[in-house]
Structure formats: structure tokens, C-alpha cells
Coordinates of all heavy atoms in Angstrom, one line a residue:
M1 N 63.9 61.7 228.0 CA 62.7 61.7 227.3 C 62.6 62.8 226.3 O 62.9 63.9 226.6 CB 61.6 61.9 228.4 CG 60.9 60.7 228.8 SD 59.6 61.1 229.9 CE 59.9 59.8 231.1
S2 N 62.1 62.5 225.2 CA 61.9 63.6 224.2 C 60.5 64.2 224.4 O 59.7 63.6 225.1 CB 62.0 62.9 222.8 OG 60.9 62.1 222.5
D3 N 60.3 65.3 223.7 CA 58.9 65.9 223.7 C 57.9 64.9 223.3 O 56.8 64.9 223.8 CB 58.9 67.2 222.9 CG 59.5 68.3 223.6 OD1 59.7 68.3 224.8 OD2 59.9 69.3 222.9
E4 N 58.2 64.1 222.3 CA 57.3 63.1 221.8 C 56.9 62.1 222.9 O 55.7 61.8 223.0 CB 57.9 62.3 220.6 CG 56.9 61.3 220.0 CD 57.5 60.7 218.8 OE1 58.3 61.2 218.1 OE2 57.1 59.5 218.5
C5 N 57.9 61.7 223.7 CA 57.6 60.8 224.8 C 56.7 61.4 225.8 O 55.8 60.8 226.3 CB 58.9 60.3 225.5 SG 59.8 59.1 224.5
L6 N 56.9 62.7 226.1 CA 56.1 63.4 227.0 C 54.6 63.4 226.6 O 53.8 63.3 227.4 CB 56.6 64.9 227.2 CG 57.8 65.1 228.1 CD1 58.2 66.5 228.1 CD2 57.5 64.6 229.5
T7 N 54.4 63.6 225.3 CA 53.0 63.8 224.9 C 52.3 62.4 224.8 O 51.1 62.3 224.9 CB 52.9 64.5 223.5 OG1 53.7 63.8 222.6 CG2 53.4 65.9 223.7
T8 N 53.1 61.3 224.6 CA 52.5 60.0 224.4 C 52.5 59.2 225.7 O 51.6 58.4 225.8 CB 53.1 59.2 223.2 OG1 54.5 59.1 223.5 CG2 53.0 60.0 221.9
E9 N 53.5 59.3 226.5 CA 53.6 58.4 227.7 C 53.4 59.1 229.0 O 52.9 58.5 229.9 CB 55.0 57.8 227.7 CG 55.2 56.9 226.5 CD 56.6 56.3 226.5 OE1 57.3 56.3 227.5 OE2 57.0 55.8 225.4
L10 N 53.7 60.4 229.1 CA 53.7 61.0 230.4 C 53.1 62.4 230.3 O 53.3 63.1 229.4 CB 55.2 61.2 230.9 CG 55.4 61.8 232.2 CD1 54.8 60.9 233.3 CD2 56.9 62.1 232.5
N11 N 52.1 62.6 231.2 CA 51.5 63.9 231.2 C 51.3 64.3 232.7 O 51.6 63.5 233.6 CB 50.2 64.0 230.4 CG 49.1 63.2 231.0 OD1 48.8 63.2 232.1 ND2 48.6 62.3 230.1
H12 N 50.9 65.5 233.0 CA 50.8 66.0 234.3 C 49.8 65.2 235.1 O 49.9 65.1 236.4 CB 50.4 67.5 234.4 CG 49.1 67.8 233.8 ND1 47.9 67.6 234.6 CD2 48.7 68.3 232.7 CE1 46.9 68.0 233.9 NE2 47.3 68.4 232.7
R13 N 48.9 64.5 234.5 CA 47.9 63.7 235.2 C 48.5 62.4 235.9 O 47.9 61.8 236.7 CB 46.8 63.2 234.3 CG 45.9 64.4 233.9 CD 44.8 64.0 232.9 NE 44.2 65.2 232.3 CZ 44.6 65.8 231.2 NH1 45.7 65.5 230.6 NH2 44.0 66.9 230.8
S14 N 49.8 62.2 235.5 CA 50.6 61.1 236.1 C 51.0 61.4 237.5 O 51.6 60.6 238.2 CB 51.8 60.7 235.2 OG 51.4 60.4 233.9
F15 N 50.9 62.7 237.9 CA 51.4 63.2 239.1 C 50.2 63.7 240.0 O 49.2 64.3 239.5 CB 52.4 64.3 238.9 CG 53.6 63.9 238.1 CD1 53.6 64.0 236.8 CD2 54.7 63.5 238.8 CE1 54.7 63.6 236.1 CE2 55.8 63.1 238.1 CZ 55.8 63.1 236.7
G16 N 50.3 63.5 241.3 CA 49.2 63.9 242.2 C 49.3 65.4 242.6 O 48.3 66.0 242.9
H17 N 50.5 65.9 242.4 CA 50.7 67.3 242.9 C 51.8 67.9 242.1 O 52.8 67.2 241.7 CB 51.1 67.3 244.4 CG 50.9 68.6 245.1 ND1 52.0 69.4 245.2 CD2 49.9 69.1 245.7 CE1 51.5 70.5 245.9 NE2 50.3 70.4 246.2
P18 N 51.8 69.2 241.8 CA 52.8 69.9 241.0 C 54.2 69.7 241.6 O 55.2 69.5 240.9 CB 52.4 71.3 241.0 CG 50.9 71.3 241.1 CD 50.7 70.2 242.1
A19 N 54.3 69.7 243.0 CA 55.6 69.5 243.6 C 56.3 68.1 243.3 O 57.5 68.0 243.3 CB 55.5 69.7 245.1
E20 N 55.5 67.2 242.9 CA 56.0 65.9 242.5 C 56.8 66.0 241.2 O 57.8 65.3 241.0 CB 54.9 64.8 242.4 CG 54.2 64.5 243.7 CD 53.1 63.5 243.5 OE1 52.9 62.9 242.5 OE2 52.3 63.4 244.5
I21 N 56.3 66.8 240.3 CA 57.0 67.1 239.1 C 58.3 67.8 239.4 O 59.4 67.4 238.9 CB 56.2 67.9 238.1 CG1 54.9 67.1 237.7 CG2 57.0 68.3 236.9 CD1 53.9 67.9 236.8
E22 N 58.3 68.8 240.2 CA 59.5 69.6 240.5 C 60.5 68.7 241.1 O 61.7 68.8 240.9 CB 59.1 70.7 241.5 CG 60.2 71.6 241.9 CD 59.9 72.6 242.9 OE1 58.7 72.7 243.4 OE2 60.8 73.3 243.3
A23 N 60.1 67.7 242.0 CA 61.1 66.9 242.7 C 61.5 65.6 241.9 O 62.4 64.9 242.3 CB 60.4 66.4 244.0
A24 N 60.9 65.4 240.8 CA 61.1 64.1 240.0 C 62.6 64.2 239.5 O 62.9 64.9 238.6 CB 60.1 64.0 238.9
G25 N 63.4 63.3 240.0 CA 64.8 63.3 239.6 C 65.1 62.8 238.2 O 66.1 63.1 237.6
K26 N 64.2 62.0 237.7 CA 64.4 61.4 236.3 C 64.0 62.3 235.2 O 64.2 62.0 234.0 CB 63.7 60.1 236.2 CG 64.2 59.0 237.1 CD 63.6 57.7 236.9 CE 64.2 56.6 237.8 NZ 63.7 55.3 237.6
L27 N 63.3 63.4 235.5 CA 62.9 64.4 234.5 C 63.9 65.5 234.3 O 64.5 65.9 235.3 CB 61.5 65.0 234.9 CG 60.3 64.1 235.0 CD1 59.1 64.8 235.5 CD2 60.0 63.4 233.6
T28 N 64.1 65.9 233.1 CA 65.0 67.1 232.8 C 64.2 68.3 233.2 O 63.0 68.3 233.4 CB 65.4 67.2 231.4 OG1 64.2 67.4 230.6 CG2 66.1 65.9 230.9
K29 N 64.9 69.4 233.3 CA 64.3 70.7 233.6 C 63.3 71.0 232.5 O 62.2 71.5 232.8 CB 65.4 71.8 233.7 CG 64.8 73.2 234.1 CD 65.9 74.2 234.2 CE 65.3 75.6 234.5 NZ 66.3 76.6 234.7
A30 N 63.6 70.8 231.3 CA 62.7 71.1 230.2 C 61.5 70.3 230.2 O 60.4 70.8 230.0 CB 63.4 70.9 228.8
E31 N 61.6 69.0 230.6 CA 60.4 68.1 230.8 C 59.5 68.6 231.9 O 58.3 68.6 231.8 CB 60.9 66.7 231.0 CG 61.5 66.1 229.8 CD 62.2 64.8 230.1 OE1 62.6 64.5 231.2 OE2 62.4 64.0 229.1
K32 N 60.1 69.0 233.0 CA 59.4 69.5 234.2 C 58.6 70.8 233.8 O 57.4 70.9 234.1 CB 60.3 69.9 235.3 CG 60.9 68.6 236.0 CD 61.9 69.0 237.0 CE 62.6 67.8 237.6 NZ 63.5 68.1 238.7
I33 N 59.2 71.7 233.0 CA 58.6 72.9 232.6 C 57.4 72.6 231.7 O 56.4 73.2 231.8 CB 59.6 73.9 231.9 CG1 60.6 74.4 233.0 CG2 58.9 75.0 231.2 CD1 61.8 75.1 232.5
K34 N 57.6 71.7 230.7 CA 56.6 71.3 229.8 C 55.4 70.7 230.5 O 54.2 71.1 230.3 CB 57.1 70.3 228.8 CG 56.1 69.6 227.9 CD 55.8 70.3 226.7 CE 55.0 69.5 225.7 NZ 53.6 69.7 225.8
L35 N 55.6 69.8 231.5 CA 54.5 69.2 232.2 C 53.8 70.3 233.1 O 52.5 70.3 233.1 CB 55.0 68.1 233.2 CG 55.5 66.9 232.5 CD1 56.3 66.0 233.4 CD2 54.3 66.1 231.9
L36 N 54.5 71.2 233.7 CA 53.9 72.2 234.6 C 53.1 73.2 233.7 O 52.0 73.6 234.1 CB 55.0 72.9 235.4 CG 55.5 72.0 236.6 CD1 56.8 72.7 237.1 CD2 54.5 71.8 237.6
T37 N 53.7 73.6 232.6 CA 52.9 74.6 231.8 C 51.7 74.0 231.1 O 50.7 74.6 231.0 CB 53.8 75.2 230.7 OG1 54.4 74.2 229.9 CG2 54.9 76.1 231.3
D38 N 51.7 72.7 230.8 CA 50.5 72.0 230.3 C 49.5 71.9 231.5 O 48.3 72.1 231.2 CB 50.9 70.5 229.9 CG 51.6 70.5 228.6 OD1 51.7 71.5 227.9 OD2 52.1 69.4 228.2
W39 N 49.9 71.6 232.7 CA 49.0 71.6 233.8 C 48.4 73.0 234.1 O 47.2 73.1 234.3 CB 49.8 71.1 235.1 CG 48.9 70.5 236.2 CD1 47.6 70.7 236.4 CD2 49.4 69.7 237.2 NE1 47.2 70.1 237.5 CE2 48.2 69.4 238.0 CE3 50.6 69.1 237.5 CZ2 48.3 68.6 239.1 CZ3 50.6 68.3 238.6 CH2 49.5 68.0 239.4
E40 N 49.3 74.0 234.0 CA 48.8 75.4 234.1 C 47.6 75.7 233.1 O 46.6 76.2 233.5 CB 49.9 76.4 234.0 CG 49.4 77.8 234.1 CD 50.5 78.8 233.7 OE1 51.4 78.5 232.9 OE2 50.5 79.9 234.3
Y41 N 47.9 75.3 231.9 CA 46.9 75.6 230.9 C 45.5 74.9 231.2 O 44.5 75.5 231.1 CB 47.4 75.1 229.5 CG 46.4 75.4 228.4 CD1 46.2 76.7 227.9 CD2 45.7 74.4 227.8 CE1 45.3 77.0 226.9 CE2 44.8 74.6 226.8 CZ 44.6 75.9 226.3 OH 43.7 76.1 225.3
D42 N 45.6 73.6 231.6 CA 44.4 72.8 231.9 C 43.7 73.5 233.1 O 42.5 73.6 233.1 CB 44.8 71.4 232.3 CG 45.1 70.6 231.0 OD1 44.9 71.1 229.9 OD2 45.5 69.4 231.2
L43 N 44.4 73.9 234.1 CA 43.8 74.6 235.3 C 43.2 75.9 234.9 O 42.1 76.2 235.4 CB 44.9 74.8 236.4 CG 45.4 73.5 237.1 CD1 46.6 73.9 237.9 CD2 44.3 72.9 237.9
R44 N 43.8 76.7 234.0 CA 43.2 77.9 233.6 C 41.8 77.6 232.8 O 40.9 78.3 233.0 CB 44.1 78.7 232.7 CG 45.2 79.3 233.4 CD 46.2 80.1 232.5 NE 47.2 80.8 233.2 CZ 47.0 82.0 233.8 NH1 45.9 82.6 233.8 NH2 48.0 82.5 234.4
L45 N 41.8 76.6 232.0 CA 40.6 76.2 231.4 C 39.5 75.8 232.4 O 38.3 76.2 232.2 CB 40.8 75.1 230.4 CG 41.6 75.5 229.1 CD1 41.8 74.2 228.3 CD2 41.0 76.6 228.3
K46 N 39.9 75.1 233.4 CA 38.9 74.7 234.5 C 38.4 76.0 235.2 O 37.2 76.0 235.5 CB 39.6 73.8 235.5 CG 39.7 72.4 235.0 CD 40.3 71.5 236.1 CE 40.5 70.1 235.5 NZ 41.0 69.2 236.6
L47 N 39.2 76.9 235.4 CA 38.8 78.2 236.1 C 37.8 78.9 235.2 O 36.8 79.5 235.7 CB 40.0 79.0 236.5 CG 40.8 78.5 237.6 CD1 42.1 79.3 237.8 CD2 40.0 78.5 238.9
V48 N 38.1 79.0 233.9 CA 37.1 79.7 233.0 C 35.8 78.9 233.0 O 34.7 79.5 233.0 CB 37.7 79.8 231.6 CG1 36.7 80.2 230.6 CG2 38.9 80.7 231.6
A49 N 35.8 77.6 232.9 CA 34.6 76.8 232.9 C 33.8 77.0 234.2 O 32.6 77.1 234.1 CB 34.9 75.3 232.7
A50 N 34.5 77.1 235.3 CA 33.8 77.3 236.6 C 33.1 78.7 236.6 O 32.0 78.8 237.1 CB 34.8 77.2 237.7
E51 N 33.8 79.7 236.0 CA 33.2 81.0 236.0 C 31.9 81.0 235.1 O 31.0 81.8 235.3 CB 34.2 82.0 235.5 CG 35.2 82.4 236.5 CD 36.1 83.5 236.0 OE1 35.9 84.1 234.9 OE2 37.0 83.9 236.8
E52 N 31.9 80.1 234.1 CA 30.8 80.1 233.2 C 29.7 79.1 233.8 O 28.8 78.7 233.0 CB 31.2 79.7 231.8 CG 32.1 80.8 231.2 CD 32.7 80.3 229.9 OE1 32.5 79.2 229.4 OE2 33.4 81.2 229.3
N53 N 29.9 78.7 235.0 CA 28.9 77.8 235.7 C 28.8 76.4 235.0 O 27.7 75.8 235.1 CB 27.5 78.4 235.8 CG 27.6 79.6 236.7 OD1 28.3 79.6 237.8 ND2 26.9 80.7 236.3
M54 N 29.9 75.9 234.5 CA 29.9 74.6 233.9 C 30.1 73.6 235.0 O 30.8 73.8 236.0 CB 30.9 74.4 232.8 CG 30.7 75.4 231.7 SD 32.0 75.3 230.5 CE 31.4 74.0 229.4
R55 N 29.4 72.5 234.9 CA 29.5 71.5 236.0 C 30.8 70.7 236.0 O 31.5 70.7 235.1 CB 28.4 70.4 235.8 CG 27.0 70.9 236.0 CD 26.0 69.8 235.8 NE 26.6 68.5 236.1 CZ 25.9 67.4 235.9 NH1 24.8 67.4 235.4 NH2 26.5 66.3 236.3
G56 N 31.1 70.2 237.2 CA 32.3 69.3 237.3 C 33.6 70.0 237.6 O 34.6 69.4 237.5
N57 N 33.5 71.3 237.9 CA 34.8 72.0 238.1 C 34.8 72.5 239.6 O 33.9 73.1 240.0 CB 34.9 73.1 237.2 CG 35.1 72.7 235.8 OD1 36.1 72.0 235.5 ND2 34.1 72.9 234.9
D58 N 35.9 72.2 240.2 CA 36.1 72.7 241.6 C 37.0 74.0 241.5 O 38.3 73.8 241.5 CB 36.7 71.7 242.5 CG 36.9 72.1 243.9 OD1 36.6 73.3 244.3 OD2 37.3 71.3 244.7
R59 N 36.5 75.1 241.5 CA 37.2 76.4 241.3 C 38.3 76.6 242.4 O 39.4 76.9 242.1 CB 36.2 77.6 241.3 CG 36.9 78.9 241.0 CD 35.9 80.0 240.9 NE 36.6 81.3 240.9 CZ 37.3 81.8 239.9 NH1 37.4 81.1 238.8 NH2 37.8 83.0 240.0
E60 N 38.0 76.3 243.6 CA 38.9 76.6 244.7 C 40.1 75.7 244.6 O 41.3 76.2 244.7 CB 38.2 76.4 246.0 CG 39.1 76.8 247.2 CD 38.4 76.8 248.5 OE1 37.2 77.2 248.6 OE2 39.0 76.3 249.5
S61 N 39.9 74.4 244.4 CA 41.1 73.5 244.3 C 41.9 73.8 243.0 O 43.1 73.7 243.0 CB 40.7 72.1 244.4 OG 40.0 71.6 243.2
A62 N 41.2 74.2 241.9 CA 42.0 74.5 240.7 C 42.8 75.8 240.9 O 44.0 75.8 240.5 CB 41.0 74.7 239.6
A63 N 42.3 76.7 241.7 CA 43.1 78.0 242.0 C 44.3 77.6 242.8 O 45.3 78.2 242.6 CB 42.2 79.0 242.6
E64 N 44.1 76.8 243.8 CA 45.2 76.4 244.7 C 46.2 75.6 243.9 O 47.4 75.9 244.1 CB 44.7 75.5 245.8 CG 43.8 76.3 246.8 CD 43.1 75.4 247.9 OE1 43.4 74.2 247.9 OE2 42.3 75.9 248.6
L65 N 45.8 74.7 243.1 CA 46.8 74.0 242.2 C 47.5 74.9 241.3 O 48.7 74.8 241.1 CB 46.1 72.9 241.4 CG 45.9 71.6 242.1 CD1 45.1 70.6 241.3 CD2 47.2 70.9 242.5
L66 N 46.8 75.9 240.7 CA 47.4 76.9 239.8 C 48.5 77.7 240.6 O 49.6 77.9 240.0 CB 46.4 77.8 239.2 CG 46.9 78.8 238.2 CD1 47.5 78.1 237.0 CD2 45.7 79.7 237.7
S67 N 48.2 78.0 241.8 CA 49.3 78.7 242.6 C 50.5 77.9 242.8 O 51.6 78.3 242.8 CB 48.7 79.2 244.0 OG 47.7 80.2 243.8
E68 N 50.3 76.6 243.1 CA 51.4 75.6 243.3 C 52.2 75.4 242.0 O 53.4 75.3 242.0 CB 50.8 74.3 243.8 CG 51.9 73.3 244.2 CD 52.9 73.8 245.3 OE1 52.5 74.7 246.1 OE2 54.0 73.2 245.4
V69 N 51.5 75.3 240.9 CA 52.2 75.2 239.6 C 53.1 76.4 239.4 O 54.2 76.3 239.0 CB 51.2 75.0 238.4 CG1 51.9 75.2 237.1 CG2 50.5 73.7 238.5
H70 N 52.5 77.6 239.6 CA 53.3 78.8 239.5 C 54.5 78.8 240.4 O 55.6 79.2 240.0 CB 52.5 80.1 239.7 CG 51.5 80.4 238.7 ND1 50.4 81.2 238.8 CD2 51.5 79.9 237.4 CE1 49.8 81.2 237.7 NE2 50.4 80.5 236.8
R71 N 54.4 78.4 241.7 CA 55.5 78.3 242.6 C 56.6 77.3 242.1 O 57.7 77.6 242.1 CB 55.0 77.8 244.0 CG 56.1 77.9 245.0 CD 55.9 76.9 246.2 NE 55.9 75.5 245.8 CZ 57.0 74.8 245.5 NH1 58.2 75.4 245.5 NH2 56.9 73.5 245.2
C72 N 56.1 76.2 241.5 CA 57.1 75.2 241.0 C 57.8 75.8 239.8 O 59.0 75.6 239.6 CB 56.4 73.9 240.6 SG 55.8 73.0 242.0
L73 N 57.1 76.5 238.9 CA 57.8 77.1 237.7 C 58.8 78.1 238.2 O 59.9 78.2 237.6 CB 56.7 77.7 236.8 CG 55.9 76.7 235.9 CD1 54.7 77.4 235.3 CD2 56.8 76.0 234.9
T74 N 58.4 78.9 239.2 CA 59.3 79.9 239.7 C 60.6 79.3 240.3 O 61.7 79.7 240.1 CB 58.6 80.8 240.7 OG1 57.5 81.5 240.1 CG2 59.6 81.9 241.3
A75 N 60.4 78.2 241.0 CA 61.5 77.4 241.6 C 62.4 76.9 240.5 O 63.6 76.8 240.7 CB 61.0 76.3 242.4
L76 N 61.9 76.6 239.3 CA 62.7 76.2 238.2 C 63.3 77.3 237.4 O 63.9 77.1 236.4 CB 61.8 75.3 237.3 CG 61.4 73.9 237.8 CD1 60.4 73.3 237.0 CD2 62.6 73.0 238.0
G77 N 63.0 78.6 237.8 CA 63.6 79.7 237.2 C 62.8 80.2 236.0 O 63.3 80.9 235.1
I78 N 61.5 79.8 235.9 CA 60.6 80.2 234.8 C 59.5 81.0 235.3 O 58.8 80.7 236.2 CB 60.1 78.9 234.1 CG1 61.3 78.0 233.6 CG2 59.1 79.2 233.0 CD1 62.1 78.7 232.5
R79 N 59.2 82.1 234.5 CA 58.0 82.8 234.8 C 56.9 82.2 233.9 O 57.2 81.9 232.7 CB 58.1 84.3 234.4 CG 56.9 85.1 234.6 CD 57.1 86.5 234.7 NE 55.8 87.1 235.1 CZ 55.3 88.2 234.5 NH1 56.0 88.9 233.7 NH2 54.2 88.7 234.9
S80 N 55.7 82.0 234.4 CA 54.7 81.4 233.7 C 54.5 82.1 232.3 O 54.3 83.3 232.3 CB 53.4 81.4 234.5 OG 52.3 81.1 233.7
P81 N 54.5 81.3 231.2 CA 54.2 81.9 229.9 C 52.8 82.6 229.8 O 52.6 83.5 229.1 CB 54.3 80.7 228.9 CG 55.0 79.7 229.7 CD 54.7 79.9 231.1
A82 N 51.9 82.1 230.6 CA 50.5 82.6 230.6 C 50.3 83.8 231.5 O 49.3 84.4 231.6 CB 49.5 81.5 231.0
A83 N 51.4 84.2 232.3 CA 51.3 85.3 233.3 C 50.9 86.6 232.6 O 50.1 87.4 233.2 CB 52.5 85.4 234.0
D84 N 51.3 86.8 231.4 CA 51.0 88.0 230.7 C 50.0 87.8 229.6 O 49.8 88.7 228.7 CB 52.3 88.6 230.0 CG 53.3 89.0 231.1 OD1 53.0 89.5 232.1 OD2 54.5 88.7 230.8
A85 N 49.2 86.7 229.7 CA 48.2 86.4 228.7 C 47.1 87.5 228.7 O 46.7 87.9 229.8 CB 47.6 85.1 228.9
P86 N 46.6 87.8 227.6 CA 45.5 88.8 227.5 C 44.1 88.3 227.9 O 43.2 89.1 228.1 CB 45.5 89.2 226.0 CG 46.0 88.1 225.3 CD 47.0 87.4 226.2
F87 N 44.0 87.0 228.1 CA 42.8 86.4 228.6 C 43.0 85.3 229.6 O 44.1 84.8 229.7 CB 41.9 86.0 227.4 CG 42.6 85.1 226.4 CD1 42.6 83.7 226.6 CD2 43.4 85.6 225.4 CE1 43.3 82.9 225.7 CE2 44.1 84.8 224.5 CZ 44.0 83.4 224.7
K88 N 42.0 84.9 230.3 CA 42.2 84.0 231.4 C 42.7 82.6 231.0 O 43.4 82.0 231.8 CB 40.8 83.8 232.1 CG 40.4 85.0 232.8 CD 39.0 84.8 233.4 CE 38.5 86.1 234.0 NZ 37.1 86.1 234.4
A89 N 42.4 82.1 229.9 CA 42.8 80.8 229.5 C 44.3 80.7 229.1 O 44.8 79.7 228.8 CB 41.9 80.2 228.3
G90 N 44.9 81.9 229.0 CA 46.4 81.9 228.7 C 46.7 81.9 227.3 O 46.7 82.0 226.4

């Protein structure tokens, strides 16, 4: 799959849990990293929205998923690009 395919056909919402991406045999390492970092960014935005008391965000489950995304990225040998971000949204 090319990056173009990832953005048009497959995104992290196609998976129920970050570990499913990590275990997906048909995805390359680069595709897994792209999906996980996209998921991480979305989760960070949800956490910021929850802090601003915006409706529809479950802060606790987003934080748990974010921890799992970080675990999966680490298992792939990648440190989260947002780990050193100067602000919460990465």
C-alpha cells in the first residue's frame, strides 16, 4: 500500500484497537507507523477537547488508547513523534 492508499482507503478507524494494527500481517512497518501516529494525533486532540469541557469526549478511554498506541509504536522501534511536542495536541 502506498501512502495515498492509506489516506484514501485505510485509516486507524478501520481497527478496533491499536494492537490490531501492530499485528496486521498485510501492513508494512511504515504503514503501521503512519496509522498509529495518525491515531495518536486524533487521541491527543480528543484529550485537549475533553480538558476544554467539550461534549462527546471520553477522556479516560482516550488516555488508555493513547498509552496503547505508544506501546505499539515502541514495539515497532519508534518513539512517538509527539512525545517531545511543546503542546498537548502534538
